[in-house]
Amino acid sequence: MVPATEFATLPLAVGAEVEDLSSEAGKVWHSSLDTVSQQDGFQRLYWGREVENDNVLNLFIDWDSYEHHQKFIASPEYAPFGKHLKTIVDGNIIMRHVNFSPHPPSAAVSNTSSPVTEIVTCYFEAYDEGYADKIDRLFQAFEKAPGFKTAASGWVIEDIEHEKIGSGKKDPLSRRMVLFLKYFKSVR
């Protein structure tokens, strides 16, 4: 089995102070993270708010495999976990899984190495075996950029629907690649 990173985007309810452990939202958030960390196949997690919209939180969970996360989703524990988590969310949670290189993508998402990670999602009509080489060359170019630290990239496991690709319907040949670009400081 190949390691996978769950990448979830959560639109937080206005005023949900998840960083404050004494707040109701903080208690919900941290108990949810505790539940995840106790699952079979869990490796580590990272999370943070978007710079551009601080009501959006991105959560990255490294799993031993995609199948380990699917096992958690199928467990009796998942429904109450999801219901509890949704008390601090206002909107749909978007979840996808990525096979990152390198795995884990720790250096590119951990705030111990830098506070800012740029997340780029690229859409393709089909999987491109040669794209990894192109990404390597792109990363080499980024290494010359001021403040750049490191990067990780990988193909999203799930099929997608995208209005610009094909008929706009789910197409197993349509793919997404996610790039994490780590900077020493915010470029805003």
Side-chain angles (χ1 to χ4, degrees), residues 65-77:
S65 69
Y66 173 76
E67 292 77 15
H68 279 91
H69 185 224
Q70 294 307 301
K71 181 179 167 187
F72 173 44
I73 291 172
S75 75
E77 195 173 14

Side-chain angles (χ1 to χ4, degrees), residues 172-184:
L173 300 178
S174 299
R175 299 296 307 268
R176 287 177 288 184
M177 177 172 266
V178 175
L179 312 174
F180 288 157
L181 307 171
K182 190 65 156 181
Y183 296 91
F184 284 112

Side-chain angles (χ1 to χ4, degrees), residues 52-86:
E52 299 84 359
N53 182 353
D54 68 357
N55 284 336
V56 175
L57 185 143
N58 288 303
L59 170 66
F60 311 101
I61 304 170
D62 294 329
W63 295 94
D64 287 345
S65 69
Y66 173 76
E67 292 77 15
H68 279 91
H69 185 224
Q70 294 307 301
K71 181 179 167 187
F72 173 44
I73 291 172
S75 75
E77 195 173 14
Y78 192 79
F81 158 80
K83 184 176 180 181
H84 183 63
L85 180 61
K86 287 181 181 177

Side-chain angles (χ1 to χ4, degrees), residues 86-162:
K86 287 181 181 177
T87 64
I88 62 170
V89 173
D90 183 22
N92 294 324
I93 297 172
I94 300 169
M95 185 179 1
R96 56 268 195 213
H97 300 81
V98 183
N99 294 126
F100 277 108
S101 177
H103 182 88
S106 304
V109 294
S110 172
N111 68 359
T112 59
S113 63
S114 173
V116 179
T117 300
E118 172 119 16
I119 303 167
V120 178
T121 303
C122 305
Y123 295 84
F124 299 89
E125 290 187 25
Y127 180 80
D128 179 350
E129 280 288 339
Y131 196 72
D133 290 336
K134 295 171 190 167
I135 290 296
D136 286 343
R137 288 197 304 273
L138 177 66
F139 287 172
Q140 289 170 8
F142 274 122
E143 287 174 3
K144 298 172 185 157
F148 179 78
K149 182 168 175 63
T150 190
S153 66
W155 290 103
V156 175
I157 295 169
E158 293 88 358
D159 295 337
I160 64 166
E161 294 179 26
H162 193 278

